[in-house]
Amino acid sequence: MCLFHKLFDALILPIVSTSAKIPYSGVQAGFRSGYSILTNILTLYHLIQANIGSHIVFLDFAAAFDKVGLLYLEKELKAQNINPLVLWLIHPLMLQDTIFSLMVNGCPSIKQNCTGGVLQGSPLYPILFNRFIKSLLQSLNREPRRTFPSALFFADDGVLFHQLNKY
């Protein structure tokens, strides 16, 4: 990662983390201060012990960061009321027109355009991923009468719970 990206990340990260009026999803424990994988493990353990989920599905989105649609990410950030100036900085400077090449035996490959995904290796991109996946988590946990979550996530790993009606 170049020096510009590191400086940009350091300046923009606090703004992106706190600029939205809509908070992060409470069921997303990944990449958040005060949360850890232990948060979801303990919640999962409690739900299993309480026999809450009669059906439990474990998910792992393969290459999740690589599959973030940039237009959808921009739409999500706008819906979450990210400061327009911050959005303007993030999208064109960091996500658009990204070019990469691979080094193989000391020789660079032909340069390729990056058509999707968010770059890894930066503290900014996990925050953007959490913003990206927020509406999915809200949809999965939408049922208002439930006293337990339907889904828990840690980054791109998730657990879905379903309780069959006992009739």
Side-chain angles (χ1 to χ4, degrees), residues 113-132:
N113 289 324
C114 182
T115 58
V118 292
L119 303 173
Q120 295 186 29
S122 160
L124 177 61
Y125 297 109
I127 302 297
L128 292 176
F129 181 79
N130 278 354
R131 297 276 185 207
F132 173 77

Side-chain angles (χ1 to χ4, degrees), residues 6-18:
K6 289 182 181 184
L7 290 172
F8 183 81
D9 286 352
L11 294 172
I12 203 80
L13 181 62
I15 298 167
V16 173
S17 297
T18 59

Side-chain angles (χ1 to χ4, degrees), residues 73-137:
L73 174 60
E74 183 178 19
K75 177 183 164 194
E76 280 293 309
L77 293 174
K78 284 179 181 176
Q80 294 176 34
N81 296 315
I82 293 288
N83 181 309
L85 177 61
V86 173
L87 185 61
W88 178 83
L89 286 171
I90 290 172
H91 192 73
L93 293 178
M94 300 298 287
L95 303 174
Q96 200 172 39
D97 300 326
T98 301
I99 298 171
F100 70 94
S101 67
L102 301 174
M103 292 292 283
V104 179
N105 295 328
C107 298
S109 68
I110 297 171
K111 292 183 179 180
Q112 301 287 321
N113 289 324
C114 182
T115 58
V118 292
L119 303 173
Q120 295 186 29
S122 160
L124 177 61
Y125 297 109
I127 302 297
L128 292 176
F129 181 79
N130 278 354
R131 297 276 185 207
F132 173 77
I133 201 167
K134 183 177 184 296
S135 64
L136 170 65
L137 300 180

Side-chain angles (χ1 to χ4, degrees), residues 38-98:
L38 198 54
T39 307
N40 281 358
I41 290 173
L42 292 174
T43 304
L44 174 62
Y45 177 79
H46 169 73
L47 293 172
I48 291 171
Q49 290 300 314
N51 201 25
I52 298 288
S54 60
H55 291 76
I56 300 173
V57 177
F58 293 90
L59 303 170
D60 181 3
F61 293 117
F65 276 64
D66 299 333
K67 294 185 175 123
V68 170
L70 299 181
L71 292 176
Y72 186 79
L73 174 60
E74 183 178 19
K75 177 183 164 194
E76 280 293 309
L77 293 174
K78 284 179 181 176
Q80 294 176 34
N81 296 315
I82 293 288
N83 181 309
L85 177 61
V86 173
L87 185 61
W88 178 83
L89 286 171
I90 290 172
H91 192 73
L93 293 178
M94 300 298 287
L95 303 174
Q96 200 172 39
D97 300 326
T98 301

